[in-house]
Amino acid sequence: MRDTKERILDAAESLFAEQGFDGASLRAITTAAGVNLAAVNYHFSSKEALLQSVFARKLAPLNRERLALLDALEAEAAGAPVQLKRLVQAFLEPVVRLIEKPAESGISFGMLLGRMYTTSTPSTRNIFLDEIRVLARRFSAAFQRSLPGLAFEEVAWRMFFGIGAMSQILAASWMLPIVSEGRADVSDVDGIVDSLTSFVTAGLQADPARHSVCSGRRRFPESRRGPRRRSGGRPESS
Amino acid sequence: MRDTKERILDAAESLFAEQGFDGASLRAITTAAGVNLAAVNYHFSSKEALLQSVFARKLAPLNRERLALLDALEAEAAGAPVQLKRLVQAFLEPVVRLIEKPAESGISFGMLLGRMYTTSTPSTRNIFLDEIRVLARRFSAAFQRSLPGLAFEEVAWRMFFGIGAMSQILAASWMLPIVSEGRADVSDVDGIVDSLTSFVTAGLQADPARHSVCSGRRRFPESRRGPRRRSGGRPESS
DNA sequence: GTCTATATGGGGATAGAC
DNA sequence: GTCTATCCCCATATAGAC
């Protein structure tokens, strides 16, 4: 029988994933964990701190893996831009594979992560702000090197869209049978990784089709950082 | 001063979007609406029925618009496949434009919709199950006609990814400044529609790169039902 | 560290006067 | 249709015995 703290974390992860932070009561969590109600506040001091601990346990290792894959790709490329598809795969695959770890702790962590993307409050958001920041910085730089001629903002938007496609698998898979008329499911994780990687890679490579007005398709890999406003792009900053 | 019922719907839409179904109390909603607490149960009979009414008011018109655009495109094409990009735009644009209606009712409906994709319970899910079903049926047929040679399941997966990219804009826009290092925002809706449309269109057109192993690229739209594990959506329960 | 018992507050829903 | 007052339940958190 595992450690009390660990048991609480497992149960919390699972119930937060299924019912949300508000929906999962400490009573339900402690009952599922087979521990006493008061144990949560003894070990974690509050419900929100429990959520933080749930993330602390799994998010950092996950992102470390993604960065390690990126490091390996960049080392291998030895200065040259990495092949885009491999970059995309390094970014996506460790996350997608979260859906295939049912033995360990139920569907749980992947679903919780996907759910938190759309339901985090300013306070719970701090849990992954820094993680996302460092990950985005590293990967967007790599993406930009592998996508010469694409403005930085456009790369950011497309990463953002890619994250959306990815998190759909984590947290909105109930929709899949409906969209596919019952003919697709999440059992073939390798296939999902391939499909998603292809989709996102192609999306990243799309022609910049900014409203045809300003057309004169820009192709200046290096010169796009300056202080000036982008020609046809979106207004930047906020 | 508007009708009481309408005032409640507006306030509920806004607060559900910002704080979630559980997070927004009827007390907060009625206070924001400037009506009495008991008015909710008088007019809507329960909190969950109120949520349904919030969706009933806006979701059907939204999807009617998308289907009307599809009808127009198909009529224009007169039997030929519709240009893929225009199809994608008809599917995405009305939804993306939800973010530019702040005058009417705050960020609200778009954000609520995006949030519900990842947090709906089996009971609240029924609110849009049928809507999604008819929409998916019409659009996936059209997509498949415009993407000859792509298996039905693959089309479904890519629509699913596209929905994820779309809903990221609705409900996870807080992430955008972080991913873009402060240089992208949601003020230029036309530009967002263009970017997203390009991204999803390119994604839909990607080479089917199913794991190179079994490669012999399958082309049998009908033949994939077999004894394969179903599994479909995750439990999530309530 | 673990338990029981309880403090304290907020939630959805409703009864019944107006 | 609208209000006040209240019912009843369940939440998080804690005090204090073991």
Side-chain angles (χ1 to χ4, degrees):
Chain A
M1 198 152 171
R2 277 163 7 276
D3 185 39
T4 295
K5 234 172 133 171
E6 207 71 17
R7 293 168 59 78
I8 293 172
L9 286 171
D10 288 343
E13 181 178 295
S14 179
L15 288 173
F16 284 155
E18 286 165 31
Q19 311 179 350
F21 181 72
D22 296 320
S25 70
L26 292 182
R27 281 175 166 80
I29 291 168
T30 50
T31 301
V35 304
N36 187 271
L37 170 61
V40 168
N41 281 292
Y42 176 78
H43 287 287
F44 301 95
S45 85
S46 77
K47 189 183 183 183
E48 188 163 313
L50 171 60
L51 178 66
Q52 282 188 308
S53 298
V54 168
F55 271 99
R57 186 173 61 151
K58 302 234 171 126
L59 190 58
L62 175 72
N63 286 337
R64 235 183 290 120
E65 183 188 352
R66 296 161 89 184
L67 290 174
L69 290 169
L70 174 57
D71 287 337
L73 289 175
E74 289 186 332
E76 190 189 342
V82 178
Q83 191 198 341
L84 184 64
K85 187 160 197 165
R86 303 185 69 189
L87 220 47
V88 171
Q89 188 166 350
F91 186 71
L92 299 173
E93 180 160 9
V95 180
V96 175
R97 294 219 174 271
L98 289 173
I99 68 173
E100 69 175 351
K101 310 223 166 93
E104 188 185 325
S105 53
I107 1 96
S108 55
F109 186 71
M111 195 164 162
L112 176 57
L113 182 61
R115 190 188 259 263
M116 293 298 291
Y117 283 165
T118 59
T119 62
S120 60
T121 62
S123 78
T124 61
R125 201 163 293 167
N126 290 319
I127 298 173
F128 33 66
L129 268 193
D130 284 336
E131 294 275 351
I132 293 182
R133 209 186 306 279
V134 56
L135 206 75
R137 195 181 296 272
R138 285 290 316 277
F139 271 97
S140 67
F143 281 139
Q144 196 162 25
R145 283 167 47 80
S146 298
L147 287 165
L150 202 61
F152 177 85
E153 290 90 325
E154 193 59 34
V155 172
W157 273 102
R158 293 177 186 191
M159 279 185 68
F160 180 67
F161 296 147
I163 293 169
M166 174 186 82
S167 68
Q168 192 77 350
I169 299 170
L170 300 178
S173 61
W174 61 269
M175 199 187 283
L176 188 57
I178 300 160
V179 169
S180 70
E181 297 176 20
R183 293 162 68 180
D185 63 49
V186 292
S187 58
D188 173 18
V189 181
D190 291 343
I192 296 174
V193 170
D194 285 347
S195 274
L196 178 62
T197 302
S198 299
F199 180 88
V200 173
T201 302
L204 284 166
Q205 288 172 318
D207 276 347
R210 319 255 82 212
H211 14 165
S212 31
V213 197
C214 62
S215 48
R217 193 161 301 161
R218 311 170 258 90
R219 275 287 143 72
F220 306 101
E222 304 308 342
S223 70
R224 311 248 8 112
R225 290 305 290 273
R228 114 219 68 132
R229 272 176 64 61
R230 314 220 5 267
S231 51
R234 266 181 283 296
E236 33 206 299
S237 96
S238 64
Chain B
M1 200 153 174
R2 272 155 20 270
D3 185 37
T4 295
K5 234 172 135 170
E6 207 71 16
R7 292 168 60 80
I8 294 173
L9 286 170
D10 288 342
E13 180 178 294
S14 179
L15 288 174
F16 284 154
E18 285 163 32
Q19 313 180 353
F21 181 73
D22 295 321
S25 70
L26 291 182
R27 284 173 168 80
I29 290 168
T30 49
T31 300
V35 304
N36 188 269
L37 171 61
V40 167
N41 281 292
Y42 177 77
H43 287 287
F44 301 96
S45 85
S46 79
K47 190 185 183 183
E48 188 164 313
L50 171 60
L51 178 67
Q52 282 188 306
S53 298
V54 167
F55 271 99
R57 187 173 61 151
K58 302 236 171 122
L59 189 58
L62 175 73
N63 286 338
R64 234 181 291 121
E65 183 188 352
R66 296 161 91 184
L67 290 175
L69 289 170
L70 174 57
D71 287 339
L73 289 175
E74 290 187 330
E76 191 188 344
V82 178
Q83 190 198 340
L84 183 64
K85 186 160 198 166
R86 304 185 70 189
L87 220 47
V88 171
Q89 186 165 352
F91 185 70
L92 299 173
E93 180 160 8
V95 179
V96 174
R97 294 218 174 270
L98 289 172
I99 68 174
E100 67 174 355
K101 308 222 168 93
E104 189 184 324
S105 54
I107 2 97
S108 54
F109 187 71
M111 194 166 162
L112 176 57
L113 182 61
R115 188 187 260 263
M116 293 298 292
Y117 283 165
T118 59
T119 62
S120 60
T121 62
S123 78
T124 61
R125 199 163 296 164
N126 289 320
I127 298 171
F128 33 67
L129 267 193
D130 284 335
E131 294 274 352
I132 293 181
R133 207 185 308 276
V134 55
L135 205 74
R137 194 181 297 272
R138 284 290 314 277
F139 270 96
S140 67
F143 282 137
Q144 196 162 24
R145 283 167 45 81
S146 298
L147 287 165
L150 201 61
F152 178 84
E153 289 90 324
E154 193 59 34
V155 172
W157 272 103
R158 294 178 184 191
M159 277 185 68
F160 180 68
F161 297 147
I163 293 170
M166 175 186 83
S167 69
Q168 192 78 349
I169 300 172
L170 300 179
S173 60
W174 61 269
M175 199 186 283
L176 189 57
I178 300 161
V179 169
S180 69
E181 298 177 21
R183 293 164 67 182
D185 63 47
V186 292
S187 58
D188 175 16
V189 181
D190 290 344
I192 296 174
V193 170
D194 284 347
S195 276
L196 178 62
T197 303
S198 299
F199 181 89
V200 174
T201 303
L204 284 167
Q205 289 172 318
D207 276 348
R210 310 249 99 200
H211 23 162
S212 29
V213 196
C214 63
S215 46
R217 196 160 299 162
R218 310 176 257 89
R219 280 285 148 71
F220 308 99
E222 305 308 343
S223 71
R224 299 226 38 87
R225 283 307 289 279
R228 257 163 133 256
R229 267 178 53 56
R230 264 285 323 354
S231 120
R234 268 188 275 298
E236 181 141 6
S237 101
S238 156

